[in-house]
Amino acid sequence: MERQLETYQKIERSIIKKFRKQLWTPFIVAVKRYELIQAGDKIAVCISGGKDSMLMAKLLQELQRHSEVPFELVYLVMDPGYNEINRQKIESNAALLHIPITVFETNIFDVANNSDKSPCYLCARMRRGHLYKKAQELGCNKIALGHHFNDVIETTVMSMFYGSQLQAMPPKLHSTNFPGMTLIRPMYCIREDDIIAWRRYNELEFIQCACRFTEACTICDNGGGGSKRQEVKVLLRRLMRDNPNIENSIFRSIHAVSLDTMPGYKSEGVEHSFLERFDRVEEELKTKKASPEGEAVREAD
């Protein structure tokens, strides 16, 4: 007689079995391709309570169980000032999924709400800082965020359309304010539609928008109901009607940037012009022309 599985075990099995191609495989691809996890890492899995971060927690939990590479996980939940319903939902989902969360509280929503600056921008910056700080206090050397494939391509399009720059979202980066800390994005290759399909299949309900400024919205994405990100989502859906491969093309393009064709680029905070290389190549060509090899070429011509 087959043993009856508990709810959390059925959810775990769905990741490995039914959604293996859509979730587990691209997760493993990202971890290996971008070298996100090394032996001895202690990773703070940052959980906001939404579908993305909750799935990321289960993926990393499953990897830790089966990986030959030893690493530690801390499931970190920062409460920036959630209302009682959202806080309770996060805790109940964590219990349902058997995710042993560590919760710490901040007053980020209060500070952002009383600021003259953009509350969303300030909130995002403060969240990241608090997460890094708490993770470091707990002895972690990495924090993991739940950004997925669609976040990556939407950010790329947004930066070009609204930020006047070609800028992507890297799969990992060093923290400049917290030396020794690294941010990783293990869901870099997982599509949002597949995350939604997994959530529906398991009949899970996660908080959608915990932000105090947009709690009433029904279509927000991390504070984005009617946002620029939402506009880009809609635009990409329209473009996919004529070109179903457009998302893949955008994703591949950020892995194949041809700097030689760019009139300008920025590296490590320093702006560069194509003229730097242009002038250097011109000097190299003059030198080559004046060399014995260049003389031989001219005689052959």
Side-chain angles (χ1 to χ4, degrees):
M1 184 175 178
E2 188 175 349
R3 180 172 65 91
Q4 189 70 24
L5 297 178
E6 294 187 38
T7 299
Y8 81 94
Q9 293 173 318
K10 292 178 182 178
I11 293 170
E12 290 171 353
R13 175 172 285 190
S14 73
I15 294 173
I16 301 299
K17 299 290 186 179
K18 182 174 179 59
F19 292 95
R20 187 178 191 86
K21 182 179 178 181
Q22 299 91 334
L23 300 179
W24 183 252
T25 298
F27 163 69
I28 295 298
V29 166
V31 169
K32 291 184 176 180
R33 180 179 185 181
Y34 306 118
E35 300 177 359
L36 301 183
I37 299 175
Q38 281 79 38
D41 280 345
K42 186 172 183 179
I43 305 168
V45 184
C46 301
I47 299 174
S48 66
K51 66 185 189 317
D52 306 330
S53 61
M54 284 293 193
L55 173 59
M56 176 181 66
K58 292 306 296 181
L59 288 166
L60 286 167
Q61 190 179 58
E62 199 69 22
L63 178 63
Q64 186 187 38
R65 287 178 186 146
H66 300 100
S67 176
E68 295 179 358
V69 176
F71 64 94
E72 295 182 62
L73 297 174
V74 175
Y75 302 93
L76 199 56
V77 175
M78 180 194 65
D79 184 345
Y82 292 136
N83 62 35
E84 187 177 343
I85 295 175
N86 280 332
R87 173 68 178 260
Q88 187 175 25
K89 191 67 176 177
I90 293 171
E91 292 177 345
S92 62
N93 275 331
L96 173 69
L97 295 170
H98 278 222
I99 300 173
I101 58 175
T102 297
V103 184
F104 71 103
E105 299 179 359
T106 69
N107 63 343
I108 290 177
F109 282 172
D110 287 334
V111 173
N113 190 33
N114 293 313
S115 173
D116 293 332
K117 298 180 180 179
S118 168
C120 294
Y121 173 77
L122 183 60
C123 179
R125 297 240 341 152
M126 292 179 67
R127 277 172 180 257
R128 189 74 58 86
H130 278 285
L131 287 169
Y132 270 124
K133 184 178 180 182
K134 187 64 176 180
Q136 204 169 48
E137 289 175 1
L138 294 172
C140 299
N141 65 311
K142 291 179 178 176
I143 68 170
L145 299 184
H147 296 122
H148 48 66
F149 175 93
N150 295 85
D151 288 326
V152 176
I153 61 173
E154 288 160 13
T155 296
T156 302
V157 174
M158 286 171 62
S159 70
M160 184 167 59
F161 284 10
Y162 305 113
S164 301
Q165 58 184 333
L166 285 170
Q167 179 174 304
M169 178 185 282
K172 66 178 179 180
L173 69 155
H174 294 293
S175 170
T176 53
N177 296 321
F178 295 86
M181 295 292 293
T182 301
L183 182 154
I184 62 173
R185 296 183 167 106
M187 297 174 67
Y188 203 80
C189 298
I190 297 177
R191 295 171 184 271
E192 185 174 29
D193 284 346
D194 294 325
I195 300 173
I196 294 171
W198 169 80
R199 182 197 69 196
R200 288 174 176 166
Y201 175 80
N202 289 290
E203 298 180 341
L204 296 168
E205 293 183 10
F206 300 113
I207 64 172
Q208 289 188 18
C209 188
C211 178
R212 188 176 295 174
F213 314 110
T214 52
E215 281 174 344
C217 77
T218 57
I219 60 168
C220 61
D221 59 307
N222 296 324
S227 68
K228 295 302 181 186
R229 184 173 294 276
Q230 189 66 27
E231 289 179 19
V232 169
K233 280 180 181 288
V234 173
L235 172 63
L236 289 170
R237 288 195 199 106
R238 289 175 186 161
L239 293 173
M240 285 180 68
R241 295 172 192 166
D242 297 323
N243 179 7
N245 202 42
I246 195 165
E247 290 184 340
N248 285 333
S249 293
I250 296 172
F251 189 76
R252 289 170 183 159
S253 72
I254 64 174
H255 291 76
V257 177
S258 181
L259 286 181
D260 291 345
T261 67
M262 295 292 177
Y265 68 95
K266 183 184 289 186
S267 177
E268 297 181 349
V270 179
E271 293 187 0
H272 297 271
S273 168
F274 82 102
L275 290 173
E276 297 171 19
R277 183 178 181 279
F278 186 86
D279 294 338
R280 186 176 68 252
V281 170
E282 185 175 29
E283 287 301 317
E284 290 173 356
L285 290 173
K286 287 179 180 178
T287 302
K288 185 176 181 180
K289 188 175 181 181
S291 67
E293 291 81 2
E295 188 66 32
V297 170
R298 286 196 296 277
E299 288 178 1
D301 289 342

